[in-house]
Amino acid sequence: MYGKLHGACLYGIDGVLIEVETDLSNGLPQTAIIGLPDSAIREAVERVRAAIKNCGFKYPSQRVTINLAPADLRKEGSSFDLAIALGLLTTSEQVVLPVGERTLFIGELALDGSIRPVNGVLSMVDLAKREGFHSVLLPKENANEARLITGIRIYAIRHLADLIPIEDHAQGTVDSQATNQNCTASKQVMIQSYAHLPQAEHIPLCEKEGITSNMEDYSDVLGQLHAKRALVIAAAGMHNILLMGPPGAGKTMLIRRLPSILPPLTEKEALEVTKVYSAAGKWKESSPHLMNIRPFRSPHHTISAAGLVGGGGIPKPGEISLAHRGILFLDELPEFSRHVLEVLRQPLEDHNVTISRSRAVFKYPAHFLLAASLNPCHCGFFGNDTEHQRCTCSPAAVARYRSRISGPLLDRIDLQLEVSQPKDWREEKESLSSAEMRRQVLAAQAIQIHRYSKLPFSWNSELSGQMLRKYAVLERNAAELLDQTMDALGLSMRAYDRILKLSRTIADLHDSEKILTSHVAEAIQYCHMDRANASFPES
């Protein structure tokens, strides 16, 4: 006897459709699972055996072969338990599934037959919809996540016994001897009960809630208008930003409020971000909507390279993927391991990270805004001496401290700004608020969306090559100013492109199609580390 159902697993953050084939044949009672399963799937035999018996069904006393196809793809996780159990029950003719309805089965079984949630359900349900499935049967705890995908029926159950015919379930168990005698009647009842799922719940899609948050506001930050201006530019074009200044200047305070001025996630971006959090097991099951606020991740400086970019025996998304379409904040940048910082270079360029294993290669999205802060030296007061605090670091010590951040990494940070202690903050009656800054950001974003509507990107920070030359054309005087600056400071060509992209964003903030000299002059101000390195004393 042969049967086939469909399950799914994760491959990176994407769902992969898997055919669960079941074959019952004469021979010694034994069960074999083939098709490159991992240990969690091989152990599914015992979970499924106990769950079937404890729900009143009979585990087949035959030679059982379960194949997970395609056979050349390694399968991981416990999401196949429900498909394997129902495959055995349908093949042994103990239950009959609806005819003509393609259903995807997802879920982990407990020994008593209850169904436990699994990670990555959003990606699997999205795959099922794209592959033309009519419905998905999954754990009750994953229902909120699954219902975010429209156009497919979602059935959520808590227990395998929820699929037992009502007449038999009322008696508590299904008599294994009577099962074969009354097979025809049970089949018909099973079809009717499954079609209507009286003990399961079909959850309708609700409207996505609006964006609500209790973010801190920039009105709390007195002074620092220059830094706020730089943050508006960073948010308007999704440019990476670095703030350097002495302790207490407000660097961390400024960056932690950056999410309050970022534009909301689009529907496509929200689905991408939610898929990442679903695959990582960090999506809130109680949430009734896709993630609609850009993520903000701030890992500790002791984080490993695998924790930052992802990895592990069963690869999981790292911090840079959890910051996808949002902000990755690295506070006190030189305190991070140099090896950890260097792994950021490729994701900052390609906006994704590739993790290679012997049997598979996983690709995770990593399109984030890098925000970082650092002190000018180890003690923190180089160039900011006061009567009470003076720098105690030698030029060699300062150079050694700054050398922890490589030039290639700095070249990928568009805005580099020095932040000093505010002096006239007592005289400031009203501070620039997040609402005012956000209005500027949204206006600039609308211009970029219109400009790049037919291109595969939507931010000025993504311009490169021919697209950069096409959309960031300088007026003659502006071009001359930039050329003179390049010669005077000895900037790299990557720095040249950074200034062009920044100038494009500044022009958008002024609602100007042309990039003027004033726009270029302001962009040059944000190359602080380039200017400092050009004139900094060697160790």
Side-chain angles (χ1 to χ4, degrees):
M1 292 180 286
Y2 170 83
K4 181 174 71 173
L5 295 179
H6 289 91
C9 67
L10 280 179
Y11 193 83
I13 66 164
D14 298 318
V16 177
L17 192 64
I18 303 296
E19 293 182 356
V20 181
E21 299 177 299
T22 307
D23 178 77
L24 305 181
S25 59
N26 295 330
L28 293 175
Q30 63 178 359
T31 303
I33 299 182
I34 59 177
L36 288 182
D38 70 345
S39 57
I41 299 175
R42 287 193 292 270
E43 292 170 354
V45 173
E46 301 306 323
R47 292 194 298 271
V48 169
R49 189 194 306 273
I52 286 178
K53 290 182 177 179
N54 289 331
C55 288
F57 292 104
K58 181 180 179 181
Y59 193 87
S61 299
Q62 298 169 275
R63 181 182 178 87
V64 178
T65 304
I66 299 168
N67 180 42
L68 306 178
D72 61 344
L73 178 69
R74 186 163 185 83
K75 292 85 180 177
E76 298 172 335
S78 57
S79 61
F80 298 108
D81 288 11
L82 184 58
I84 291 173
L86 288 176
L88 289 170
L89 294 176
T90 55
T91 306
S92 60
E93 298 183 346
Q94 297 182 62
V95 298
V96 175
L97 300 181
V99 178
E101 180 169 4
R102 295 186 71 198
T103 304
L104 184 69
F105 300 93
I106 304 169
E108 175 187 333
L109 284 175
L111 298 184
D112 64 349
S114 58
I115 303 178
R116 291 172 173 159
V118 296
N119 295 337
V121 163
L122 184 66
S123 298
M124 299 179 198
V125 176
D126 184 46
L127 171 71
K129 177 186 175 182
R130 288 186 278 111
E131 292 291 334
F133 281 77
H134 302 102
S135 58
V136 180
L137 184 67
L138 43 68
K140 172 76 175 192
E141 287 82 354
N142 289 128
N144 278 344
E145 185 176 347
R147 72 181 181 181
L148 299 175
I149 305 299
T150 60
I152 187 169
R153 288 191 294 276
I154 304 298
Y155 297 111
I157 59 175
R158 294 185 182 277
H159 202 281
L160 188 61
D162 289 348
L163 298 177
I164 297 176
I166 302 175
E167 291 82 352
D168 294 328
H169 185 62
Q171 299 174 5
T173 61
V174 175
D175 186 355
S176 59
Q177 297 179 351
T179 299
N180 293 330
Q181 298 174 0
N182 300 316
C183 186
T184 304
S186 293
K187 288 179 187 177
Q188 185 63 29
V189 172
M190 184 61 193
I191 291 174
Q192 295 299 323
S193 65
Y194 182 83
H196 296 289
L197 284 175
Q199 295 179 348
E201 183 179 356
H202 176 234
I203 304 177
L205 182 74
C206 65
E207 294 184 2
K208 189 171 81 171
E209 295 182 359
I211 298 175
T212 57
S213 67
N214 54 355
M215 297 179 187
E216 295 175 310
D217 197 279
Y218 274 112
S219 59
D220 302 330
V221 182
L222 300 178
Q224 303 293 13
L225 293 179
H226 186 44
K228 289 182 180 180
R229 170 65 176 177
L231 290 163
V232 167
I233 297 171
M238 291 299 282
H239 299 284
N240 301 324
I241 184 169
L242 171 69
L243 299 184
M244 185 176 75
K251 304 183 297 295
T252 302
M253 188 178 186
L254 285 163
I255 292 178
R256 286 197 176 276
R257 284 160 173 74
L258 188 54
S260 66
I261 65 173
L262 288 178
L265 290 166
T266 65
E267 194 74 21
K268 179 183 177 182
E269 291 174 339
L271 182 59
E272 290 175 3
V273 173
T274 310
K275 278 185 177 181
V276 172
Y277 276 74
S278 173
K282 297 181 179 296
W283 190 79
K284 294 181 180 179
E285 296 169 357
S286 59
S287 177
H289 51 70
L290 294 172
M291 295 181 64
N292 50 21
I293 297 177
R294 296 186 182 273
F296 182 91
R297 305 295 299 184
S298 180
H300 193 261
H301 67 263
T302 56
I303 191 172
S304 65
L308 190 65
V309 302
I314 300 177
K316 295 289 184 183
E319 287 293 329
I320 62 174
S321 294
L322 294 174
H324 180 59
R325 300 295 181 182
I327 300 169
L328 177 68
F329 176 36
L330 302 183
D331 199 7
E332 297 301 333
L333 192 63
E335 299 301 328
F336 286 79
S337 162
R338 186 182 178 101
H339 171 64
V340 171
L341 293 179
E342 290 306 301
V343 300
L344 286 173
R345 288 161 57 175
Q346 180 263 334
L348 286 172
E349 285 287 326
D350 300 337
H351 304 310
N352 61 62
V353 59
T354 303
I355 300 174
S356 298
R357 293 291 182 265
S358 59
R359 292 179 181 245
V361 177
F362 302 91
K363 182 174 287 188
Y364 296 107
H367 192 177
F368 57 90
L369 187 161
L370 175 63
S373 68
L374 76 157
N375 294 329
C377 64
H378 187 73
C379 74
F381 296 101
F382 178 77
N384 294 274
D385 291 342
T386 64
E387 295 180 2
H388 307 288
Q389 295 169 320
R390 294 186 179 278
C391 178
T392 58
C393 302
S394 65
V398 178
R400 189 164 51 250
Y401 180 78
R402 294 191 182 184
S403 68
R404 297 181 187 179
I405 309 170
S406 68
L409 179 60
L410 282 174
D411 255 350
R412 289 165 172 82
I413 300 178
D414 297 344
L415 287 103
Q416 304 160 7
L417 181 69
E418 184 173 12
V419 180
S420 57
Q421 291 278 10
K423 298 179 180 179
D424 300 328
W425 58 272
R426 293 183 180 86
E427 301 175 4
E428 188 174 333
K429 296 181 179 179
E430 292 185 4
S431 181
L432 190 63
S433 69
S434 292
E436 298 172 71
M437 297 167 68
R438 194 166 189 264
R439 278 194 292 270
Q440 300 177 50
V441 170
L442 293 177
Q445 184 206 21
I447 294 173
Q448 293 171 74
I449 290 175
H450 177 72
R451 181 189 297 132
Y452 308 129
S453 59
K454 297 181 180 179
L455 296 173
F457 56 85
S458 55
W459 299 100
N460 289 330
S461 60
E462 299 173 80
L463 288 171
S464 63
Q466 293 182 354
M467 292 295 102
L468 179 60
R469 305 296 181 264
K470 178 179 179 180
Y471 292 107
V473 179
L474 303 178
E475 282 199 337
R476 181 177 177 180
N477 292 339
E480 290 177 356
L481 173 62
L482 183 53
D483 290 341
Q484 293 170 5
T485 303
M486 291 287 293
D487 294 337
L489 299 181
L491 303 180
S492 67
M493 287 306 299
R494 184 173 275 129
Y496 182 89
D497 288 350
R498 288 204 326 261
I499 293 173
L500 280 182
K501 290 185 282 188
L502 284 177
S503 301
R504 178 68 274 169
T505 300
I506 294 169
D508 289 341
L509 285 168
H510 289 95
D511 195 16
S512 172
E513 185 60 32
K514 297 180 180 180
I515 300 179
L516 308 178
T517 305
S518 59
H519 304 149
V520 174
E522 183 176 0
I524 293 171
Q525 294 180 28
Y526 302 121
C527 296
H528 174 78
M529 294 294 288
D530 294 305
R531 298 199 308 271
N533 291 338
S535 58
F536 195 76
E538 297 182 359
S539 58

